[in-house]
């Protein structure tokens, strides 16, 4: 760099170099933030170990029109607060001793927010699912839809595999599900029928 600070490396003016570096860094950070916002993973595992280890032989994709029923479960909102509450609930010296909560009180303190539950419902219906049950108090949304909707909504491929120890086939996703929501899911039951 020259003594005047006007050039960097003798070829690019220092101000331009700094501006280019800053713009590149901002672009990378924004891309990472968008990727995280668009691909929240579930907090539990969904891919069978037999699929991961190659013990279950891939046979074919699951037909795109086959309808499945799923139960999408949202996580608790304040696990640390719930842990404290449970300790106080059993502590005779605590003012909360044996002061149990109703389902709605529990949801208000520790369950998913109404905004998150509504966002999940909109996400499901906009991806081709029909809502068939569930509740915010239960932290779940029960939906039905074709395999094509499941693959689109959860960024998976649904496949048919030969069971490694039983004389039958099963279906399962090829990877962990991810969703285009600003929060993760706890679990999605119904993505496989490995266990009968």
């Amino acid at each position: 760099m020259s003594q005047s600070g006007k050039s960097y490396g003798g070829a690019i003016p220092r101000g331009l170099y700094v501006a280019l570096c800053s713009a590149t860094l901002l672009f990378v950070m924004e891309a990472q933030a968008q990727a995280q916002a668009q691909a929240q993973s579930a907090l539990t595992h969904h891919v069978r170990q037999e699929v991961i280890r190659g013990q279950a032989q891939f046979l074919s994709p699951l037909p795109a029109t086959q309808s499945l029923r799923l139960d999408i479960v949202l996580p608790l909102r304040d696990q640390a607060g719930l842990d404290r509450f449970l300790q106080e609930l059993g502590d005779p010296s605590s003012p909360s001793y044996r002061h149990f909560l109703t389902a709605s009180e529990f949801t208000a303190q520790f369950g998913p927010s109404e905004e998150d539950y509504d966002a999940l419902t909109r996400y499901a219906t906009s991806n081709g699912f029909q809502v068939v049950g569930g509740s915010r108090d239960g932290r779940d949304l029960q939906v039905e839809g074709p395999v094509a909707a499941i693959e689109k909504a959860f960024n998976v491929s649904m496949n048919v595999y030969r069971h490694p120890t039983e004389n039958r086939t099963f279906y399962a996703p090829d990877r962990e599900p991810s969703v285009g929501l600003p929060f993760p899911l706890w679990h999605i039951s119904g993505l496989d029928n490995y266990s009968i």
Side-chain angles (χ1 to χ4, degrees):
M1 183 168 68
S2 70
Q3 295 289 348
S4 66
K6 293 184 180 176
S7 67
Y8 184 82
I12 301 174
R14 182 172 188 249
L16 179 59
Y17 179 82
V18 171
L20 287 172
C21 288
S22 297
T24 302
L25 181 61
L26 286 173
F27 175 79
V28 169
M29 290 171 57
E30 184 177 25
Q32 287 175 338
Q34 286 178 349
Q36 287 175 344
Q38 293 175 355
Q40 289 285 339
S41 297
L43 299 174
T44 56
H45 296 287
H46 296 79
V47 181
R48 304 296 312 194
Q49 286 298 311
E50 294 78 4
V51 171
I52 293 170
R53 295 180 188 139
Q55 297 166 324
Q57 178 190 2
F58 168 83
L59 297 176
S60 67
L62 195 61
T65 56
Q66 183 172 335
S67 184
L68 298 178
R69 186 175 182 144
L70 306 177
D71 192 4
I72 307 168
V73 183
L74 289 162
L76 292 168
R77 190 167 9 132
D78 182 9
Q79 183 65 56
L82 177 58
D83 292 342
R84 280 191 306 277
F85 171 74
L86 291 174
Q87 284 180 340
E88 293 169 1
L89 195 64
D91 180 359
S93 66
S94 169
S96 298
Y97 179 62
R98 302 190 82 179
H99 285 98
F100 300 100
L101 301 176
T102 65
S104 59
E105 289 171 336
F106 181 90
T107 299
Q109 288 187 39
F110 308 113
S113 69
E114 191 156 346
E115 294 78 18
D116 286 356
Y117 193 81
D118 291 346
L120 175 59
T121 303
R122 284 191 304 273
Y123 183 80
T125 56
S126 69
N127 277 284
F129 292 103
Q130 177 185 0
V131 175
V132 294
S135 71
R136 185 170 155 240
D137 286 342
R139 296 178 26 230
D140 74 321
L141 185 71
Q142 298 164 12
V143 297
E144 267 184 25
V147 167
I150 293 169
E151 293 180 329
K152 176 185 169 204
F154 301 118
N155 300 298
V156 297
S157 293
M158 297 294 293
N159 297 322
V160 178
Y161 299 91
R162 180 163 309 286
H163 197 288
T165 59
E166 300 174 13
N167 186 25
R168 64 180 180 89
T169 61
F170 69 97
Y171 61 80
D174 66 332
R175 68 185 76 101
E176 292 299 329
S178 60
V179 292
L181 289 166
F183 51 85
L185 302 176
W186 176 252
H187 190 73
I188 307 163
S189 64
L191 284 178
D192 74 77
N193 67 344
Y194 181 86
S195 300
I196 297 177

